[in-house]
Amino acid sequence: DGHVEFDGCAVGFDLQASFQESSFTLDFRLGNKALVTITDDITDLSLQFPNTSGNFVLLIKQSISGSQTVANYKVMNYLGNGATGSASLKFAGGSNPTLTTDANHVDIISIFWDADNQIAYGVATLDFQF
């Protein structure tokens, strides 16, 4: 009848972990959870989504030196093209969050990907300290 039920169990997802270059693509077609340790400023962080709607989580961790930033969050559909609804991640409040820049701190960006309209909506939870 078009649904999957998980009864009396937990469902997990592998965590994609990577270091980055100044511009790179994170492929959410490979999993719903990702950790990116940023070691330099990122000009364009492209997020590629699957051909189905879903919830995705991006952890952005500062390196041991800290002070790194992300300028642009680009959104791509499953084919690798710019999303037709919005080619940029739409954050609550209308602007990109200011990431925590302290060394080894983590920010979490929760994303809802609307595959039908090709729009990604993001909410940032900032400054998890270690």
Side-chain angles (χ1 to χ4, degrees), residues 32 49-56 112-119:
N32 292 46
F49 291 97
N51 197 25
T52 187
S53 298
N55 296 304
F56 300 85
F112 175 74
W113 166 241
D114 174 355
D116 294 334
N117 296 297
Q118 293 195 9
I119 300 172

Side-chain angles (χ1 to χ4, degrees), residues 107-125:
D107 297 321
I108 299 175
I109 299 177
S110 301
I111 303 166
F112 175 74
W113 166 241
D114 174 355
D116 294 334
N117 296 297
Q118 293 195 9
I119 300 172
Y121 301 92
V123 175
T125 308

